[in-house]
Amino acid sequence: WSDDDVARGGSNYSLTEIVALSYASIDAHGWAGSTDALGNRVEGTTTRKRVESALRPIDDDDRIATTAEHYARAVRAIEWISATTDESGYLANLRAVVLAGVTDSKRMGLLVSLARSYDKHLEHAERKAERERERANEVRIPCPIGRVTIIGKVVSTDAKDTDYGTRYVMTVRDDSGFTVWGSQPSGLSLNVGDRVEFVANVERSNRDESFGFYKRPTKARLLATEGGE
């Protein structure tokens, strides 16, 4: 948004109230956007519509019960977005509208999304902190070389485009204390958190003795999914 665009929007509602209502709606009904992850329009009442109805209720069904905790979360979310430094994109647009105090219906969808975005930020920060705690406490041993049986947890997955098509790769933390990276074994669809066992040829990294690269994985089997089944 440009400064002129923001200035023309006007201000009709309390920003803190909008975000607090957003949190109350999400707690009661879950997040409901106008489109799904693929960009397809979805049916049903969106979080934005619920908040807009609560701001100008016609009957009791339009009202959303808020608590002091919803308002406290709203304040923290507003403080967070105000301190972000992105120069372009979604967060920059949201910050510009928040700092300008624009709360008209034209920007309602953007403002309502702040609650969900802040929650995602907190979840990401917690996952990062958990990984750092795990790394601080983990036992590290030199990565073995040669033909190795690997039993451990998938800690990351990725898809690499090559001249021969898409290559699916993963990083596995072996139970004994070393980590390896390579192609996902054929025939298995693996996700972060899954436990897997396979045999592969392993070369140790010359930068980190506890890290290695594996090739030609065989005898692969899924030991447990992320949920533990």
Side-chain angles (χ1 to χ4, degrees):
W1 303 98
S2 69
D3 292 340
D4 289 340
D5 287 335
V6 170
R8 285 195 292 268
S11 179
N12 301 323
Y13 306 105
S14 161
L15 173 60
T16 306
E17 183 178 14
I18 290 171
V19 184
L21 285 168
S22 301
Y23 271 122
S25 178
I26 292 170
D27 286 349
H29 306 284
W31 170 258
S34 58
T35 58
D36 60 22
L38 300 177
N40 301 312
R41 185 165 293 279
V42 297
E43 300 296 330
T45 304
T46 64
T47 302
R48 171 183 175 169
K49 290 297 184 183
R50 294 185 191 280
V51 171
E52 287 180 323
S53 296
L55 288 168
R56 46 179 187 273
I58 297 175
D59 53 42
D60 287 344
D61 289 340
D62 293 331
R63 302 183 189 280
I64 301 175
T66 54
T67 65
E69 176 58 24
H70 291 136
Y71 277 89
R73 290 160 68 187
V75 169
R76 292 193 293 269
I78 293 168
E79 291 175 344
W80 165 71
I81 192 62
S82 299
T84 57
T85 58
D86 296 61
E87 296 182 356
S88 62
Y90 163 73
L91 291 182
N93 290 340
L94 180 54
R95 181 181 67 247
V97 173
V98 167
L99 291 179
V102 179
T103 59
D104 64 348
S105 59
K106 182 178 179 181
R107 275 78 177 196
M108 191 61 62
L110 186 63
L111 294 172
V112 167
S113 72
L114 171 56
R116 185 167 183 256
S117 294
Y118 181 55
D119 280 352
K120 282 187 169 183
H121 162 75
L122 293 178
E123 291 170 3
H124 176 76
E126 176 56 31
R127 287 196 300 269
K128 181 179 179 181
E130 183 178 356
R131 289 194 298 268
E132 290 176 349
R133 288 192 295 268
E134 289 177 351
R135 283 196 291 268
N137 295 326
E138 71 184 13
V139 176
R140 291 169 58 86
I141 69 168
C143 180
I145 58 175
R147 197 69 174 163
V148 178
T149 297
I150 297 162
I151 303 174
K153 178 180 178 181
V154 178
V155 295
S156 72
T157 61
D158 198 3
K160 302 288 187 181
D161 291 328
T162 71
D163 293 338
Y164 304 99
T166 303
R167 178 191 180 200
Y168 297 94
V169 297
M170 65 179 182
T171 303
V172 177
R173 167 77 177 170
D174 188 87
D175 293 343
S176 62
F178 64 90
T179 303
V180 292
W181 180 94
S183 297
Q184 292 193 31
S186 60
L188 290 182
S189 179
L190 297 169
N191 300 301
V192 173
D194 291 348
R195 286 185 51 76
V196 66
E197 177 182 355
F198 60 94
V199 179
N201 293 329
V202 178
E203 294 182 1
R204 186 181 300 163
S205 168
N206 56 16
R207 295 184 178 181
D208 181 352
E209 69 171 7
S210 295
F211 191 87
F213 304 93
Y214 69 84
K215 297 179 180 178
R216 294 184 288 279
T218 62
K219 301 179 181 178
R221 62 191 184 105
L222 178 65
L223 300 178
T225 62
E226 180 183 5
E229 298 180 356

